[in-house]
Amino acid sequence: MNPERGAEARKVLVIDVGGTHVKVMHSGSDEERKVASGPSMTAAEMVAAVQEMTREWSFDVITMGYPGPVLHGRIVDDPHNLGPGWRNFDFAGAFGKPIKILNDAAMQALGSYEGGVMLFLGLGTGLGTALVIEGRVQPLEMGHLPYKKGKTYEDYVGEAALKRRGKRKWRQAVAKVVAELSAALEPDYVVIGGGNAELLEELPPGCRLGDNANAFKGGFRMWAES
């Protein structure tokens, strides 16, 4: 059993909310469950889906990775790839449990961290970005920043770009974005995660391949740290 999940008496449920799926895992088990999400899923629908998936599970606290900006544990805006009603939703009240909310890329970054200064880039529905410095994670939300030709970074390396431009041009764009962000932020190393990371034929210099399972690891670490 992973000590980050089983060492404490407190049982943790980790929810990883994404643009295509909502995934869950709880302390003391390697079982992952998931349900489809998509552009119409509201916060209330997500809660109902998680409650259905976990109705026979026992847990005390929750960590939720959210695909959008989070400030001091509060959702700042509705996500780009899901439905409305997330920003002011009372998740603790709906679940009836204490909950910590952080950006989904930050959660996976925390689970991927191995010391020093690490830049995390998540290649999924969009582009997740986070920086971890001496164990402290800082979400960056750089995917929505202007990049070139009036488009954002996410417009070049997100899921829609992959489908629109094809794998070859998408891989070239990923390599350029990684190089430019690395030059700007000067990390010791870069971890590339997300569901589309496995489509890269080779990793750019200074990069390591992440694992989506690290999102759950990061969620458990949120409560272990406290």
Side-chain angles (χ1 to χ4, degrees), residues 87-99:
R87 188 174 67 172
N88 297 314
F89 193 87
D90 181 8
F91 291 98
F95 283 113
K97 306 284 184 181
I99 185 168

Side-chain angles (χ1 to χ4, degrees), residues 16-222:
D16 184 14
V17 181
T20 55
H21 292 92
V22 175
K23 304 174 185 177
V24 295
M25 184 181 286
H26 73 299
S27 300
S29 173
D30 291 323
E31 181 185 3
E32 174 189 317
R33 297 180 181 180
K34 65 181 179 180
V35 66
S37 55
S40 65
M41 177 175 266
T42 65
E45 289 171 344
M46 184 280 293
V47 170
V50 169
Q51 289 174 330
E52 176 65 24
M53 284 192 290
T54 63
R55 57 185 173 179
E56 77 274 24
W57 288 359
S58 175
F59 52 90
D60 305 306
V61 294
I62 301 171
T63 303
M64 186 176 83
Y66 171 77
V70 177
L71 182 64
H72 304 307
R74 297 182 65 86
I75 291 173
V76 174
D77 203 358
D78 284 340
H80 289 261
N81 301 309
L82 295 170
W86 294 79
R87 188 174 67 172
N88 297 314
F89 193 87
D90 181 8
F91 291 98
F95 283 113
K97 306 284 184 181
I99 185 168
K100 293 184 177 183
I101 303 174
L102 73 163
N103 173 265
D104 60 341
M107 189 166 77
Q108 189 170 345
L110 187 60
S112 305
Y113 182 65
E114 296 179 355
V117 179
M118 184 197 78
L119 172 62
F120 175 82
L121 300 175
L123 301 174
T125 307
L127 172 64
T129 54
L131 198 65
V132 187
I133 304 174
E134 302 304 329
R136 294 189 176 275
V137 61
Q138 176 61 55
L140 299 176
E141 290 297 329
M142 297 187 74
H144 304 299
L145 292 179
Y147 181 40
K148 58 182 180 180
K149 297 182 180 179
K151 298 183 181 296
T152 66
Y153 285 96
E154 190 169 285
D155 289 331
Y156 277 84
V157 299
E159 179 79 25
L162 172 61
K163 293 178 179 178
R164 183 180 68 253
R165 306 183 73 207
K167 289 182 181 179
R168 184 178 65 84
K169 290 185 177 180
W170 176 81
R171 288 170 180 149
Q172 291 174 346
V174 169
K176 290 180 180 178
V177 166
V178 170
E180 292 177 15
L181 295 182
S182 296
L185 298 170
E186 298 184 330
D188 297 323
Y189 58 102
V190 178
V191 172
I192 301 179
N196 290 329
E198 62 186 20
L199 299 178
L200 297 174
E201 291 183 324
E202 59 182 46
L203 292 175
C207 292
R208 306 174 187 178
L209 187 63
D211 188 331
N212 282 344
N214 286 337
F216 293 114
K217 187 177 180 181
F220 294 123
R221 280 182 172 178
M222 283 293 292

